[in-house]
PDB file of all heavy atoms in Angstrom:
ATOM      1  N   ASN A 193     117.405  97.278 149.012  1.00  0.00           N
ATOM      2  CA  ASN A 193     116.542  96.202 149.517  1.00  0.00           C
ATOM      3  C   ASN A 193     117.056  95.562 150.810  1.00  0.00           C
ATOM      4  O   ASN A 193     116.357  94.754 151.432  1.00  0.00           O
ATOM      5  CB  ASN A 193     116.362  95.116 148.457  1.00  0.00           C
ATOM      6  CG  ASN A 193     115.455  95.557 147.319  1.00  0.00           C
ATOM      7  OD1 ASN A 193     114.715  96.519 147.456  1.00  0.00           O
ATOM      8  ND2 ASN A 193     115.536  94.858 146.204  1.00  0.00           N
ATOM      9  N   LEU A 194     118.276  95.896 151.194  1.00  0.00           N
ATOM     10  CA  LEU A 194     118.826  95.341 152.447  1.00  0.00           C
ATOM     11  C   LEU A 194     117.968  95.806 153.618  1.00  0.00           C
ATOM     12  O   LEU A 194     117.617  96.976 153.745  1.00  0.00           O
ATOM     13  CB  LEU A 194     120.272  95.800 152.649  1.00  0.00           C
ATOM     14  CG  LEU A 194     121.329  95.148 151.735  1.00  0.00           C
ATOM     15  CD1 LEU A 194     122.645  95.911 151.821  1.00  0.00           C
ATOM     16  CD2 LEU A 194     121.545  93.680 152.094  1.00  0.00           C
ATOM     17  N   LYS A 195     117.668  94.878 154.537  1.00  0.00           N
ATOM     18  CA  LYS A 195     116.846  95.220 155.694  1.00  0.00           C
ATOM     19  C   LYS A 195     117.571  96.115 156.684  1.00  0.00           C
ATOM     20  O   LYS A 195     116.960  96.830 157.456  1.00  0.00           O
ATOM     21  CB  LYS A 195     116.385  93.932 156.384  1.00  0.00           C
ATOM     22  CG  LYS A 195     115.389  93.126 155.570  1.00  0.00           C
ATOM     23  CD  LYS A 195     114.920  91.888 156.308  1.00  0.00           C
ATOM     24  CE  LYS A 195     113.905  91.107 155.481  1.00  0.00           C
ATOM     25  NZ  LYS A 195     113.466  89.886 156.168  1.00  0.00           N
ATOM     26  N   ILE A 196     118.896  96.043 156.645  1.00  0.00           N
ATOM     27  CA  ILE A 196     119.748  96.881 157.506  1.00  0.00           C
ATOM     28  C   ILE A 196     120.554  97.788 156.597  1.00  0.00           C
ATOM     29  O   ILE A 196     121.203  97.329 155.656  1.00  0.00           O
ATOM     30  CB  ILE A 196     120.660  96.040 158.386  1.00  0.00           C
ATOM     31  CG1 ILE A 196     119.859  95.156 159.324  1.00  0.00           C
ATOM     32  CG2 ILE A 196     121.605  96.933 159.211  1.00  0.00           C
ATOM     33  CD1 ILE A 196     120.675  94.135 160.106  1.00  0.00           C
ATOM     34  N   LYS A 197     120.520  99.098 156.856  1.00  0.00           N
ATOM     35  CA  LYS A 197     121.245 100.035 156.022  1.00  0.00           C
ATOM     36  C   LYS A 197     122.755  99.915 156.262  1.00  0.00           C
ATOM     37  O   LYS A 197     123.227 100.021 157.394  1.00  0.00           O
ATOM     38  CB  LYS A 197     120.780 101.462 156.304  1.00  0.00           C
ATOM     39  CG  LYS A 197     121.405 102.502 155.384  1.00  0.00           C
ATOM     40  CD  LYS A 197     120.861 103.882 155.660  1.00  0.00           C
ATOM     41  CE  LYS A 197     121.507 104.919 154.725  1.00  0.00           C
ATOM     42  NZ  LYS A 197     121.006 106.282 154.972  1.00  0.00           N
ATOM     43  N   PRO A 198     123.529  99.719 155.215  1.00  0.00           N
ATOM     44  CA  PRO A 198     124.999  99.607 155.387  1.00  0.00           C
ATOM     45  C   PRO A 198     125.635 100.976 155.627  1.00  0.00           C
ATOM     46  O   PRO A 198     125.084 102.010 155.249  1.00  0.00           O
ATOM     47  CB  PRO A 198     125.452  99.011 154.060  1.00  0.00           C
ATOM     48  CG  PRO A 198     124.440  99.484 153.059  1.00  0.00           C
ATOM     49  CD  PRO A 198     123.126  99.515 153.798  1.00  0.00           C
ATOM     50  N   ASP A 199     126.819 100.956 156.241  1.00  0.00           N
ATOM     51  CA  ASP A 199     127.581 102.175 156.404  1.00  0.00           C
ATOM     52  C   ASP A 199     128.273 102.573 155.097  1.00  0.00           C
ATOM     53  O   ASP A 199     128.506 103.755 154.832  1.00  0.00           O
ATOM     54  CB  ASP A 199     128.658 101.994 157.493  1.00  0.00           C
ATOM     55  CG  ASP A 199     128.091 101.656 158.853  1.00  0.00           C
ATOM     56  OD1 ASP A 199     127.007 102.237 159.169  1.00  0.00           O
ATOM     57  OD2 ASP A 199     128.667 100.846 159.559  1.00  0.00           O
ATOM     58  N   ILE A 200     128.586 101.565 154.293  1.00  0.00           N
ATOM     59  CA  ILE A 200     129.262 101.799 153.019  1.00  0.00           C
ATOM     60  C   ILE A 200     128.998 100.632 152.087  1.00  0.00           C
ATOM     61  O   ILE A 200     128.735  99.507 152.544  1.00  0.00           O
ATOM     62  CB  ILE A 200     130.783 102.012 153.251  1.00  0.00           C
ATOM     63  CG1 ILE A 200     131.431 102.651 152.021  1.00  0.00           C
ATOM     64  CG2 ILE A 200     131.480 100.704 153.638  1.00  0.00           C
ATOM     65  CD1 ILE A 200     132.796 103.241 152.301  1.00  0.00           C
ATOM     66  N   ILE A 201     129.033 100.874 150.784  1.00  0.00           N
ATOM     67  CA  ILE A 201     128.825  99.839 149.776  1.00  0.00           C
ATOM     68  C   ILE A 201     130.086  99.722 148.933  1.00  0.00           C
ATOM     69  O   ILE A 201     130.597 100.717 148.442  1.00  0.00           O
ATOM     70  CB  ILE A 201     127.645 100.187 148.857  1.00  0.00           C
ATOM     71  CG1 ILE A 201     126.372 100.408 149.661  1.00  0.00           C
ATOM     72  CG2 ILE A 201     127.417  99.089 147.804  1.00  0.00           C
ATOM     73  CD1 ILE A 201     125.305 101.170 148.890  1.00  0.00           C
ATOM     74  N   ILE A 202     130.582  98.494 148.779  1.00  0.00           N
ATOM     75  CA  ILE A 202     131.680  98.252 147.854  1.00  0.00           C
ATOM     76  C   ILE A 202     131.169  97.295 146.774  1.00  0.00           C
ATOM     77  O   ILE A 202     130.395  96.403 147.053  1.00  0.00           O
ATOM     78  CB  ILE A 202     132.958  97.723 148.546  1.00  0.00           C
ATOM     79  CG1 ILE A 202     132.662  96.454 149.333  1.00  0.00           C
ATOM     80  CG2 ILE A 202     133.546  98.786 149.461  1.00  0.00           C
ATOM     81  CD1 ILE A 202     133.898  95.817 149.965  1.00  0.00           C
ATOM     82  N   SER A 203     131.626  97.540 145.567  1.00  0.00           N
ATOM     83  CA  SER A 203     131.071  96.786 144.454  1.00  0.00           C
ATOM     84  C   SER A 203     132.146  96.512 143.402  1.00  0.00           C
ATOM     85  O   SER A 203     133.135  97.227 143.319  1.00  0.00           O
ATOM     86  CB  SER A 203     129.932  97.608 143.828  1.00  0.00           C
ATOM     87  OG  SER A 203     129.604  97.129 142.535  1.00  0.00           O
ATOM     88  N   ASP A 204     131.871  95.479 142.598  1.00  0.00           N
ATOM     89  CA  ASP A 204     132.683  95.307 141.404  1.00  0.00           C
ATOM     90  C   ASP A 204     132.516  96.574 140.570  1.00  0.00           C
ATOM     91  O   ASP A 204     131.482  97.221 140.606  1.00  0.00           O
ATOM     92  CB  ASP A 204     132.202  94.086 140.636  1.00  0.00           C
ATOM     93  CG  ASP A 204     133.223  93.564 139.657  1.00  0.00           C
ATOM     94  OD1 ASP A 204     134.407  93.907 139.795  1.00  0.00           O
ATOM     95  OD2 ASP A 204     132.870  92.788 138.758  1.00  0.00           O
ATOM     96  N   PHE A 205     133.547  96.926 139.829  1.00  0.00           N
ATOM     97  CA  PHE A 205     133.589  98.249 139.171  1.00  0.00           C
ATOM     98  C   PHE A 205     132.428  98.468 138.204  1.00  0.00           C
ATOM     99  O   PHE A 205     132.154  97.657 137.332  1.00  0.00           O
ATOM    100  CB  PHE A 205     134.891  98.457 138.424  1.00  0.00           C
ATOM    101  CG  PHE A 205     134.998  99.837 137.820  1.00  0.00           C
ATOM    102  CD1 PHE A 205     135.348 100.915 138.609  1.00  0.00           C
ATOM    103  CD2 PHE A 205     134.668 100.056 136.501  1.00  0.00           C
ATOM    104  CE1 PHE A 205     135.420 102.197 138.074  1.00  0.00           C
ATOM    105  CE2 PHE A 205     134.724 101.345 135.953  1.00  0.00           C
ATOM    106  CZ  PHE A 205     135.096 102.409 136.757  1.00  0.00           C
ATOM    107  N   ILE A 206     131.743  99.596 138.378  1.00  0.00           N
ATOM    108  CA  ILE A 206     130.790 100.102 137.392  1.00  0.00           C
ATOM    109  C   ILE A 206     130.998 101.598 137.326  1.00  0.00           C
ATOM    110  O   ILE A 206     131.263 102.246 138.333  1.00  0.00           O
ATOM    111  CB  ILE A 206     129.330  99.768 137.740  1.00  0.00           C
ATOM    112  CG1 ILE A 206     128.994 100.121 139.199  1.00  0.00           C
ATOM    113  CG2 ILE A 206     128.990  98.345 137.454  1.00  0.00           C
ATOM    114  CD1 ILE A 206     127.551  99.904 139.571  1.00  0.00           C
ATOM    115  N   ASN A 207     130.853 102.150 136.133  1.00  0.00           N
ATOM    116  CA  ASN A 207     131.052 103.587 135.918  1.00  0.00           C
ATOM    117  C   ASN A 207     129.733 104.321 136.189  1.00  0.00           C
ATOM    118  O   ASN A 207     128.757 104.180 135.448  1.00  0.00           O
ATOM    119  CB  ASN A 207     131.516 103.821 134.478  1.00  0.00           C
ATOM    120  CG  ASN A 207     131.832 105.288 134.248  1.00  0.00           C
ATOM    121  OD1 ASN A 207     131.723 106.125 135.120  1.00  0.00           O
ATOM    122  ND2 ASN A 207     132.244 105.598 133.028  1.00  0.00           N
ATOM    123  N   ILE A 208     129.701 105.116 137.262  1.00  0.00           N
ATOM    124  CA  ILE A 208     128.471 105.819 137.616  1.00  0.00           C
ATOM    125  C   ILE A 208     128.512 107.308 137.226  1.00  0.00           C
ATOM    126  O   ILE A 208     127.665 108.095 137.615  1.00  0.00           O
ATOM    127  CB  ILE A 208     128.161 105.689 139.141  1.00  0.00           C
ATOM    128  CG1 ILE A 208     129.310 106.300 139.952  1.00  0.00           C
ATOM    129  CG2 ILE A 208     127.927 104.261 139.501  1.00  0.00           C
ATOM    130  CD1 ILE A 208     128.999 106.354 141.446  1.00  0.00           C
ATOM    131  N   ASN A 209     129.484 107.680 136.414  1.00  0.00           N
ATOM    132  CA  ASN A 209     129.601 109.090 135.992  1.00  0.00           C
ATOM    133  C   ASN A 209     128.727 109.376 134.776  1.00  0.00           C
ATOM    134  O   ASN A 209     129.177 109.381 133.644  1.00  0.00           O
ATOM    135  CB  ASN A 209     131.060 109.415 135.660  1.00  0.00           C
ATOM    136  CG  ASN A 209     131.948 109.300 136.883  1.00  0.00           C
ATOM    137  OD1 ASN A 209     131.563 109.654 137.976  1.00  0.00           O
ATOM    138  ND2 ASN A 209     133.139 108.721 136.697  1.00  0.00           N
ATOM    139  N   SER A 210     127.446 109.591 135.018  1.00  0.00           N
ATOM    140  CA  SER A 210     126.512 109.868 133.935  1.00  0.00           C
ATOM    141  C   SER A 210     125.362 110.731 134.420  1.00  0.00           C
ATOM    142  O   SER A 210     124.806 110.485 135.472  1.00  0.00           O
ATOM    143  CB  SER A 210     125.958 108.563 133.354  1.00  0.00           C
ATOM    144  OG  SER A 210     124.922 108.826 132.441  1.00  0.00           O
ATOM    145  N   LYS A 211     125.024 111.748 133.642  1.00  0.00           N
ATOM    146  CA  LYS A 211     123.895 112.633 134.007  1.00  0.00           C
ATOM    147  C   LYS A 211     122.580 111.889 133.956  1.00  0.00           C
ATOM    148  O   LYS A 211     121.612 112.272 134.587  1.00  0.00           O
ATOM    149  CB  LYS A 211     123.834 113.826 133.021  1.00  0.00           C
ATOM    150  CG  LYS A 211     125.010 114.790 133.183  1.00  0.00           C
ATOM    151  CD  LYS A 211     124.902 115.937 132.178  1.00  0.00           C
ATOM    152  CE  LYS A 211     126.087 116.883 132.324  1.00  0.00           C
ATOM    153  NZ  LYS A 211     126.030 117.980 131.336  1.00  0.00           N
ATOM    154  N   LYS A 212     122.535 110.762 133.216  1.00  0.00           N
ATOM    155  CA  LYS A 212     121.327 109.979 133.113  1.00  0.00           C
ATOM    156  C   LYS A 212     120.997 109.251 134.423  1.00  0.00           C
ATOM    157  O   LYS A 212     119.943 108.687 134.566  1.00  0.00           O
ATOM    158  CB  LYS A 212     121.467 108.948 131.982  1.00  0.00           C
ATOM    159  CG  LYS A 212     121.557 109.556 130.597  1.00  0.00           C
ATOM    160  CD  LYS A 212     121.685 108.465 129.558  1.00  0.00           C
ATOM    161  CE  LYS A 212     121.797 109.051 128.134  1.00  0.00           C
ATOM    162  NZ  LYS A 212     121.945 107.998 127.132  1.00  0.00           N
ATOM    163  N   LEU A 213     121.963 109.257 135.341  1.00  0.00           N
ATOM    164  CA  LEU A 213     121.796 108.489 136.576  1.00  0.00           C
ATOM    165  C   LEU A 213     121.474 109.369 137.764  1.00  0.00           C
ATOM    166  O   LEU A 213     121.744 109.007 138.909  1.00  0.00           O
ATOM    167  CB  LEU A 213     123.070 107.669 136.844  1.00  0.00           C
ATOM    168  CG  LEU A 213     123.493 106.765 135.684  1.00  0.00           C
ATOM    169  CD1 LEU A 213     124.841 106.131 135.981  1.00  0.00           C
ATOM    170  CD2 LEU A 213     122.444 105.703 135.423  1.00  0.00           C
ATOM    171  N   ALA A 214     120.882 110.514 137.507  1.00  0.00           N
ATOM    172  CA  ALA A 214     120.593 111.474 138.585  1.00  0.00           C
ATOM    173  C   ALA A 214     119.657 110.906 139.639  1.00  0.00           C
ATOM    174  O   ALA A 214     119.698 111.276 140.806  1.00  0.00           O
ATOM    175  CB  ALA A 214     119.959 112.732 138.010  1.00  0.00           C
ATOM    176  N   SER A 215     118.819 109.919 139.247  1.00  0.00           N
ATOM    177  CA  SER A 215     117.869 109.339 140.187  1.00  0.00           C
ATOM    178  C   SER A 215     118.449 108.212 141.025  1.00  0.00           C
ATOM    179  O   SER A 215     117.840 107.720 141.964  1.00  0.00           O
ATOM    180  CB  SER A 215     116.646 108.793 139.429  1.00  0.00           C
ATOM    181  OG  SER A 215     117.040 107.730 138.572  1.00  0.00           O
ATOM    182  N   ILE A 216     119.679 107.814 140.722  1.00  0.00           N
ATOM    183  CA  ILE A 216     120.315 106.741 141.476  1.00  0.00           C
ATOM    184  C   ILE A 216     120.697 107.227 142.852  1.00  0.00           C
ATOM    185  O   ILE A 216     121.254 108.298 143.029  1.00  0.00           O
ATOM    186  CB  ILE A 216     121.578 106.223 140.728  1.00  0.00           C
ATOM    187  CG1 ILE A 216     121.169 105.616 139.378  1.00  0.00           C
ATOM    188  CG2 ILE A 216     122.340 105.240 141.541  1.00  0.00           C
ATOM    189  CD1 ILE A 216     120.298 104.381 139.503  1.00  0.00           C
ATOM    190  N   SER A 217     120.429 106.413 143.869  1.00  0.00           N
ATOM    191  CA  SER A 217     120.578 106.849 145.256  1.00  0.00           C
ATOM    192  C   SER A 217     121.862 106.349 145.908  1.00  0.00           C
ATOM    193  O   SER A 217     122.025 106.497 147.109  1.00  0.00           O
ATOM    194  CB  SER A 217     119.385 106.371 146.093  1.00  0.00           C
ATOM    195  OG  SER A 217     119.309 104.955 146.083  1.00  0.00           O
ATOM    196  N   LEU A 218     122.761 105.725 145.140  1.00  0.00           N
ATOM    197  CA  LEU A 218     123.963 105.188 145.727  1.00  0.00           C
ATOM    198  C   LEU A 218     124.798 106.265 146.417  1.00  0.00           C
ATOM    199  O   LEU A 218     125.204 107.242 145.797  1.00  0.00           O
ATOM    200  CB  LEU A 218     124.844 104.502 144.659  1.00  0.00           C
ATOM    201  CG  LEU A 218     124.346 103.153 144.145  1.00  0.00           C
ATOM    202  CD1 LEU A 218     125.232 102.676 143.009  1.00  0.00           C
ATOM    203  CD2 LEU A 218     124.327 102.112 145.248  1.00  0.00           C
ATOM    204  N   THR A 219     125.031 106.074 147.699  1.00  0.00           N
ATOM    205  CA  THR A 219     125.897 106.986 148.460  1.00  0.00           C
ATOM    206  C   THR A 219     126.881 106.139 149.236  1.00  0.00           C
ATOM    207  O   THR A 219     126.570 105.013 149.595  1.00  0.00           O
ATOM    208  CB  THR A 219     125.075 107.862 149.434  1.00  0.00           C
ATOM    209  OG1 THR A 219     124.300 106.998 150.288  1.00  0.00           O
ATOM    210  CG2 THR A 219     124.155 108.805 148.688  1.00  0.00           C
ATOM    211  N   GLY A 220     128.035 106.712 149.534  1.00  0.00           N
ATOM    212  CA  GLY A 220     129.043 105.916 150.228  1.00  0.00           C
ATOM    213  C   GLY A 220     129.395 104.688 149.430  1.00  0.00           C
ATOM    214  O   GLY A 220     129.468 103.576 149.966  1.00  0.00           O
ATOM    215  N   PHE A 221     129.600 104.884 148.126  1.00  0.00           N
ATOM    216  CA  PHE A 221     129.785 103.759 147.200  1.00  0.00           C
ATOM    217  C   PHE A 221     131.194 103.746 146.652  1.00  0.00           C
ATOM    218  O   PHE A 221     131.685 104.744 146.137  1.00  0.00           O
ATOM    219  CB  PHE A 221     128.761 103.922 146.057  1.00  0.00           C
ATOM    220  CG  PHE A 221     128.918 102.940 144.957  1.00  0.00           C
ATOM    221  CD1 PHE A 221     128.499 101.640 145.093  1.00  0.00           C
ATOM    222  CD2 PHE A 221     129.488 103.321 143.743  1.00  0.00           C
ATOM    223  CE1 PHE A 221     128.625 100.719 144.069  1.00  0.00           C
ATOM    224  CE2 PHE A 221     129.629 102.408 142.685  1.00  0.00           C
ATOM    225  CZ  PHE A 221     129.183 101.110 142.877  1.00  0.00           C
ATOM    226  N   ILE A 222     131.879 102.596 146.752  1.00  0.00           N
ATOM    227  CA  ILE A 222     133.234 102.468 146.250  1.00  0.00           C
ATOM    228  C   ILE A 222     133.280 101.341 145.226  1.00  0.00           C
ATOM    229  O   ILE A 222     133.140 100.173 145.567  1.00  0.00           O
ATOM    230  CB  ILE A 222     134.248 102.155 147.380  1.00  0.00           C
ATOM    231  CG1 ILE A 222     134.194 103.233 148.473  1.00  0.00           C
ATOM    232  CG2 ILE A 222     135.650 102.014 146.811  1.00  0.00           C
ATOM    233  CD1 ILE A 222     135.066 102.902 149.682  1.00  0.00           C
TER     234      ILE A 222
END
């Protein structure tokens, strides 16, 4: 939803290692 696309996203820890999350578009995510 950010109006400007970030170069990278940093976040409080969440585990994104799941096949159920194939539709998630997070890239460049730490």
Side-chain angles (χ1 to χ4, degrees):
N193 288 342
L194 287 167
K195 291 181 179 179
I196 299 172
K197 185 177 180 180
D199 299 323
I200 197 164
I201 303 162
I202 56 176
S203 164
D204 199 17
F205 184 80
I206 49 176
N207 184 0
I208 60 173
N209 297 319
S210 172
K211 291 179 181 178
K212 294 180 180 179
L213 305 174
S215 63
I216 296 296
S217 62
L218 285 175
T219 56
F221 173 76
I222 303 174

